Amino acid sequence: MIDFSQLVVVIGKKADNSIVTMLGSGFFVSNDYRIATARHVIGNEYENLVMLLPHISNINQYQDVSDNTCKYANAKVLEINPITDLAILKIEQSGLIMTPPISSLDNIKVGERIGIFGFPHCVMGRRVLTYHETEIGAKMLLESSGIKAKYATLNLQTRPGQSGSLVFNPMNGDILGLLIGTYAPDSGVNIAGINPYELNQTSYCISADHIREML
Amino acid sequence: MIEIEKKPLEDWYEVLKPYQKSVLEQLVERYGEEKAAEEWITAMGPVQTATFGGDTSNRVNQKMYWNRLKDEFDKFICGHSSYKEEQEKLLSSGKLLGPGVVSSLATWIAPAVGMPPSIIAPALVLLLYIAAKISVKAYCATKNF
């Protein structure tokens, strides 16, 4: 398995007292430290955004969930596409970082395996970088304001905190897309903050083409 | 009073990134200029999609941001005192406002709107074009502060 533990990060918001609230996942997409995430992860925030620096040196390390300390870097919003729900952030760091090629859902077939790295439940204060593997269930065009973009259905249930996760090709490490959410029409019912329609066993991923066009 | 250059929309698009231009062209074709600007500001990704993280803003809240953007834009263009310093800076150059002002204008009004300049800028392109098309004087004649 390819270890993306140094490239997949938590996006957070810093309060005046330096307490950081975790908002979701993101990952580096360029060697000058630009980060892709879902726009809804940052909402309309732009002055107090931070990226939490990796808390482990490799994915096989035990992650101490009682450790609520973190190191962070201030993140600036460079680009937002509200139609595709994507955002590009940047942190200031010296040197360069190696990032995998940005590919596309065009380059993987339905039924083929994909890997996902993200932080499920980080919005509830739990920071555990987690790896999932599943397959592409379908390719779709989804619409926002009448404009269509390329997405895939992943045969996996995901939970809050995973928006912005890296979706990649485990065969070569190429970036295929970014996890956005799941199909869930309004049910009119809310149980502990969950719309029961969200509990289907699939998730949506937007094609990395839409990230590339913003860089 | 501030005056804005009358230019074709294609010229205004030149200050945008290719992906922003592509989206705005499609929105304008479908909705017209003003509604396209509103769609850009209020859009929240694909429909019927539950999102897993981050801000809990919904479309109702985004509409509030659109209203704020319109208010701040009108104040700026129509000479409201809250932007006196910035207006004087622009007027002292003696030039008509053109596409080059979009970035600065987005930065100036972003704090009052509560959104990043990078999302405001494409909407400003359309709003500036609209105001220029009917002339600033006519545009501001209906505004009350």
Side-chain angles (χ1 to χ4, degrees):
Chain A
M1 181 191 67
I2 302 168
D3 185 349
F4 282 112
S5 61
Q6 305 308 297
L7 293 182
V8 180
V9 295
V10 175
I11 306 300
K13 184 166 75 171
K14 185 181 64 175
D16 291 341
N17 52 10
S18 284
I19 289 177
V20 171
T21 303
M22 292 187 277
L23 299 172
S25 306
F27 55 91
F28 288 106
V29 286
S30 68
N31 62 9
D32 62 350
Y33 296 93
R34 280 178 279 177
I35 304 159
T37 187
R39 183 278 174 98
H40 69 261
V41 164
I42 62 168
N44 293 321
E45 188 68 47
Y46 70 103
E47 287 187 315
N48 300 302
L49 289 172
V50 295
M51 182 215 86
L52 275 63
L53 299 173
H55 64 295
I56 50 173
S57 56
N58 69 77
I59 190 61
N60 287 305
Q61 197 176 328
Y62 286 96
Q63 301 180 56
D64 183 352
V65 296
S66 68
D67 178 10
N68 61 4
T69 63
C70 70
K71 289 180 179 172
Y72 60 79
N74 293 324
K76 184 180 169 189
V77 180
L78 289 189
E79 303 292 337
I80 289 179
N81 187 340
I83 302 296
T84 54
D85 193 19
L86 287 170
I88 303 294
L89 315 181
K90 189 175 189 306
I91 61 163
E92 291 304 326
Q93 290 277 312
S94 57
L96 298 173
I97 188 172
M98 292 294 290
T99 54
I102 299 177
S103 183
S104 163
L105 290 173
D106 295 353
N107 299 325
I108 193 152
K109 294 191 174 98
V110 171
E112 288 187 333
R113 303 291 291 174
I114 55 99
I116 305 169
F117 270 107
F119 290 87
H121 311 297
C122 71
V123 291
M124 289 168 238
R126 196 171 187 88
R127 180 183 46 172
V128 179
L129 179 62
T130 303
Y131 175 70
H132 294 285
E133 204 170 294
T134 185
E135 62 279 328
I136 301 278
K139 293 185 182 181
M140 311 168 292
L141 295 174
L142 295 182
E143 187 179 293
S144 173
S145 300
I147 299 173
K148 292 175 183 172
K150 291 188 277 189
Y151 292 80
T153 294
L154 310 181
N155 296 336
L156 176 79
Q157 185 178 7
T158 50
R159 296 306 304 148
Q162 281 179 278
S163 281
S165 292
L166 166 67
V167 178
F168 67 98
N169 185 337
M171 302 297 287
N172 57 18
D174 288 359
I175 297 171
L176 294 171
L178 180 147
L179 198 113
I180 289 284
T182 191
Y183 176 68
D186 187 10
S187 66
V189 178
N190 189 304
I191 304 166
I194 296 171
N195 169 1
Y197 285 174
E198 292 172 15
L199 300 175
N200 65 78
Q201 301 299 310
T202 61
S203 302
Y204 285 173
C205 150
I206 186 166
S207 181
D209 314 70
H210 300 295
I211 299 170
R212 194 188 311 109
E213 67 191 16
M214 297 171 74
L215 298 177
Chain B
M1 180 175 248
I2 283 172
E3 283 298 332
I4 308 171
E5 285 183 75
K6 285 192 177 177
K7 281 174 166 279
L9 193 48
E10 194 60 31
D11 290 1
W12 286 93
Y13 284 154
E14 281 175 15
V15 295
L16 299 177
K17 301 273 173 59
Y19 81 92
Q20 294 170 325
K21 181 184 172 200
S22 168
V23 170
L24 285 201
E25 281 175 336
Q26 293 176 72
L27 290 176
V28 167
E29 189 179 343
R30 192 178 180 98
Y31 300 107
E33 289 96 7
E34 181 156 350
K35 181 68 178 160
E38 182 178 344
E39 284 293 321
W40 173 266
I41 293 296
T42 58
M44 291 294 287
V47 292
Q48 294 190 319
T49 302
T51 52
F52 286 156
D55 196 282
T56 52
S57 297
N58 56 32
R59 276 185 175 272
V60 176
N61 287 338
Q62 292 305 104
K63 179 79 177 176
M64 179 188 77
Y65 285 97
W66 164 246
N67 290 335
R68 275 196 213 158
L69 172 59
K70 279 277 288 170
D71 285 348
E72 296 306 316
F73 175 79
D74 291 350
K75 282 181 188 172
F76 191 96
I77 294 301
C78 301
H80 191 271
S81 57
S82 54
Y83 290 104
K84 195 176 173 198
E85 200 178 307
E86 291 85 355
Q87 289 155 356
E88 282 173 358
K89 200 181 290 179
L90 288 177
L91 289 170
S92 66
S93 71
K95 291 179 186 167
L96 298 177
L97 263 60
V101 79
V102 170
S103 173
S104 302
L105 182 51
T107 304
W108 287 331
I109 71 172
V113 178
M115 297 182 103
S118 51
I119 193 169
I120 290 174
L124 288 180
V125 161
L126 296 176
L127 293 177
L128 285 162
Y129 170 76
I130 292 166
K133 200 162 66 170
I134 61 172
S135 89
V136 173
K137 192 175 176 185
Y139 180 85
C140 294
T142 58
K143 310 293 176 190
N144 295 309
F145 299 114

